[in-house]
Amino acid sequence: MRKFNYASSVLVVIFIPLMIVILSSNLVLRLSETYVYHFNDSRAASGLAYNVTGSEFADEIAGYWSSFGGEFQVYDDNGNFKDPIFDDNEVAAMAKAKNVINLHLLSGLVSAVLGIGFYTYLYRKGYRKALRKRGFLASVITAALIIVQDILIATGRFRAALYSTFIGVSLDEDSPLVTLLGSPFYKTFIIFSNVLGIAMLGIFIYVHFNLTKEKRIFY
């Protein structure tokens, strides 16, 4: 039992940081506000010769990540016709990206179940002093992971390796999808994931402090 308790405390330090970093970065990709900000900042959508606004592109992209089934496509009004904007390669790339994002979400949810589960177990067993130390250590590791994530995402070779490994669909450099979600987008991702990650970390620290603070008889 003592070994299990110790293992539980170690797993809290592992899974709480993973939960925060994974879920915050995944949620950012599902928010249309992320893409609206990016399109307004980079003018990427206005650089395309289509009658589709950046806000409409943002809604379509964010909606696709959280949808069940179906192919990604946006249509441009052309008189009485609606012309598809993205070709087969772009549609395939988005489908593979969606699978990766969903698996990423699943790993975050598993981390949340395990992290919160082991935390709750230790709390109910009365190991508040040990849990307090582990929780603040988890907070430090979370901050470090956020910084590491920023550095990796800001590295062009790392982004290229991610794309090649998990998607691997060849796209033309001037394709609409590359224009919309190409290189400048990583900057927006870093900003939004940092804001959300730090907010989630702040909530965790606040709750953790109040749950594990020492109870005093006199104040």
Side-chain angles (χ1 to χ4, degrees):
M1 181 60 70
R2 182 176 297 179
K3 290 182 178 180
F4 180 78
N5 292 338
Y6 177 77
S8 298
S9 68
V10 172
L11 292 174
V12 165
V13 175
I14 294 173
F15 287 114
I16 291 296
L18 289 177
M19 172 191 75
I20 294 174
V21 174
I22 293 174
L23 292 183
S24 62
S25 59
N26 195 276
L27 180 58
V28 160
L29 294 174
R30 298 174 186 273
L31 294 174
S32 62
E33 289 80 4
T34 304
Y35 303 96
V36 170
Y37 177 89
H38 167 62
F39 295 145
N40 289 338
D41 184 59
S42 66
R43 303 291 182 181
S46 60
L48 297 174
Y50 300 111
N51 297 313
V52 181
T53 66
S55 179
E56 290 171 333
F57 274 123
D59 290 340
E60 292 290 343
I61 294 170
Y64 176 68
W65 299 140
S66 298
S67 66
F68 296 95
E71 290 187 345
F72 175 74
Q73 188 57 266
V74 180
Y75 295 90
D76 182 40
D77 289 330
N78 184 14
N80 295 325
F81 302 95
K82 289 185 177 294
D83 299 327
I85 293 176
F86 302 102
D87 63 24
D88 291 341
N89 283 344
E90 292 169 305
V91 171
M94 288 293 283
K96 289 192 174 185
K98 182 177 181 178
N99 289 334
V100 173
I101 290 173
N102 285 338
L103 289 174
H104 186 248
L105 174 62
L106 178 61
S107 67
L109 293 175
V110 170
S111 296
V113 170
L114 293 174
I116 294 174
F118 287 118
Y119 186 102
T120 302
Y121 167 79
L122 293 172
Y123 179 78
R124 289 181 176 178
K125 285 293 182 178
Y127 298 112
R128 293 190 181 184
K129 186 175 181 180
L131 186 59
R132 182 181 179 86
K133 294 178 180 179
R134 296 295 188 275
F136 286 123
L137 177 58
S139 301
V140 173
I141 293 175
T142 301
L145 284 181
I146 291 174
I147 294 172
V148 170
Q149 177 179 257
D150 291 348
I151 294 172
L152 292 176
I153 295 300
T155 305
R157 289 185 179 180
F158 180 79
R159 295 197 307 274
L162 279 182
Y163 185 89
S164 176
T165 301
F166 295 105
I167 300 177
V169 178
S170 180
L171 299 175
D172 295 333
E173 291 185 2
D174 59 347
S175 68
L177 188 61
V178 172
T179 301
L180 290 171
L181 299 178
S183 180
F185 177 69
Y186 78 87
K187 298 177 182 178
T188 301
F189 172 81
I190 289 175
I191 293 172
F192 276 69
S193 62
N194 281 356
V195 170
L196 188 56
I198 292 171
M200 291 177 65
L201 176 58
I203 293 172
F204 169 74
I205 292 174
Y206 175 80
V207 173
H208 173 68
F209 176 80
N210 283 280
L211 286 176
T212 61
K213 64 182 178 181
E214 296 180 5
K215 293 184 177 180
R216 302 179 185 275
I217 298 176
F218 301 104
Y219 293 88

